[in-house]
Amino acid sequence: MTYCVGMRLNAGLIFMSDTRTNAGMDNISTVKKMHTWEVPGERSIVIMTAGNLATTQSVISLLDERSKAPEDRNPSILEAPSMFQIAREVGSTLREVIQSNDPSGPKAEATFGASMIVGGQIAGSGPRLFLVYPAGNFIEASDDTPFFQIGEAKYGKPILVRAHDQEMGFEDALKLLFVSFDSTIKSNLSVGLPLDYVTYEADSMRITHQERIEADDPYFQMVSNGWGEALKLAFDQLPPFSFDRDSDASS
């Protein structure tokens, strides 16, 4: 399983992914799920992947080859005129890989399925963020839907819904994502460290920060321990439940 989050802020875009993959509890390994492409001063692109590993690696390899080999550059995500067209190309490539593995349509989507978060910016337009589904269709982030999750999303979503703010800076957004990932890691053994993150500052046309967070990272450990203690403190501060609450309220 996987957990990836792409988030839209006024300051730009931020991405985080775990690196655990498993084919059974005795076959766990680390695999990079975040991939970046850049043309300095012209475009920056980030793609995160979740789902069947063979499918996602094939899609990334095809996109990468088509961006390098001159005879394969049409279509290429490094030449597409907009982020919308890049999302279309990613979706088309994903659908192509799934159908090439098994042309039986819906069955192939279930067996070889994958989903992807695509974000970035091309000079002349603003930063954009998309969620690409196994069928190749996609949706775009908006003020009403400012972040996307793929993979094991349910454990880390509540804190994002409650605490996300378009006005927050990258540092606070990373702290929020660390809490979201820590909650997921503690709830599901198929998601695990190291974590990869990328920040992209709007209109910079370059990756602003990119780092891998290892299991012994002191800040992540501080956030993990501090969040657990804060939850216990908040729970203790809630008023106690009373079996006689109806009579208490009427008196």
Side-chain angles (χ1 to χ4, degrees):
M1 188 55 78
T2 295
Y3 183 40
C4 302
V5 180
M7 183 179 294
R8 198 182 76 165
L9 304 169
N10 290 345
L13 302 172
I14 187 166
F15 307 84
M16 186 174 287
S17 66
D18 84 316
T19 56
R20 178 169 292 182
T21 184
N22 66 291
M25 294 309 297
D26 59 346
N27 187 12
I28 295 173
S29 58
T30 297
V31 174
K32 187 177 180 66
K33 303 169 188 176
M34 184 181 297
H35 309 272
T36 62
W37 292 261
E38 286 188 294
V39 177
E42 197 272 328
R43 69 182 61 201
S44 289
I45 304 163
V46 179
I47 299 178
M48 296 187 293
T49 63
N52 181 276
L53 185 59
T55 297
T56 59
Q57 287 188 343
S58 293
V59 171
I60 295 301
S61 293
L62 279 171
L63 293 172
D64 203 37
E65 285 182 1
R66 290 168 180 172
S67 70
K68 293 178 179 178
E71 65 273 15
D72 291 332
R73 285 184 180 174
N74 188 18
S76 166
I77 61 174
L78 295 186
E79 296 183 353
S82 69
M83 286 302 303
F84 179 85
Q85 293 297 330
I86 289 174
R88 285 190 62 183
E89 178 57 26
V90 172
S92 175
T93 305
L94 176 57
R95 185 171 61 250
E96 171 191 340
V97 170
I98 291 175
Q99 291 177 349
S100 69
N101 285 324
D102 186 343
S104 57
K107 177 184 175 183
E109 289 185 17
T111 305
F112 300 104
S115 55
M116 301 187 173
I117 294 174
V118 180
Q121 185 176 15
I122 295 176
S125 60
R128 302 177 74 177
L129 184 68
F130 299 89
L131 172 60
V132 181
Y133 296 105
N137 55 332
F138 55 88
I139 59 175
E140 183 172 3
S142 65
D143 290 341
D144 294 325
T145 310
F147 63 85
F148 290 133
Q149 301 167 281
I150 53 176
E152 190 57 72
K154 56 183 176 291
Y155 301 109
K157 186 173 184 178
I159 183 63
L160 298 180
V161 172
R162 290 177 180 269
H164 173 270
D165 184 346
Q166 289 278 118
E167 298 289 341
M168 64 172 40
F170 288 127
E171 293 87 353
D172 284 341
L174 278 171
K175 180 170 63 174
L176 176 59
L177 288 176
F178 284 145
V179 171
S180 179
F181 273 75
D182 179 64
S183 299
T184 304
I185 290 168
K186 282 183 166 54
S187 302
N188 193 311
L189 292 175
S190 67
V191 177
L193 290 108
L195 307 177
D196 291 325
Y197 78 80
V198 159
T199 66
Y200 172 76
E201 183 179 354
D203 300 325
S204 66
M205 300 304 157
R206 62 180 180 85
I207 300 299
T208 313
H209 297 97
Q210 186 169 11
E211 186 180 359
R212 172 160 288 190
I213 303 297
E214 301 289 347
D216 59 353
D217 183 87
Y219 181 76
F220 182 82
Q221 292 299 325
M222 181 179 66
V223 169
S224 177
N225 295 331
W227 180 243
E229 293 170 0
L231 283 177
K232 293 177 183 177
L233 179 61
F235 177 79
D236 290 340
Q237 290 178 341
L238 292 172
F241 176 83
S242 171
F243 290 108
D244 298 324
R245 62 192 183 284
D246 292 336
S247 59
D248 293 342
S250 62
S251 60

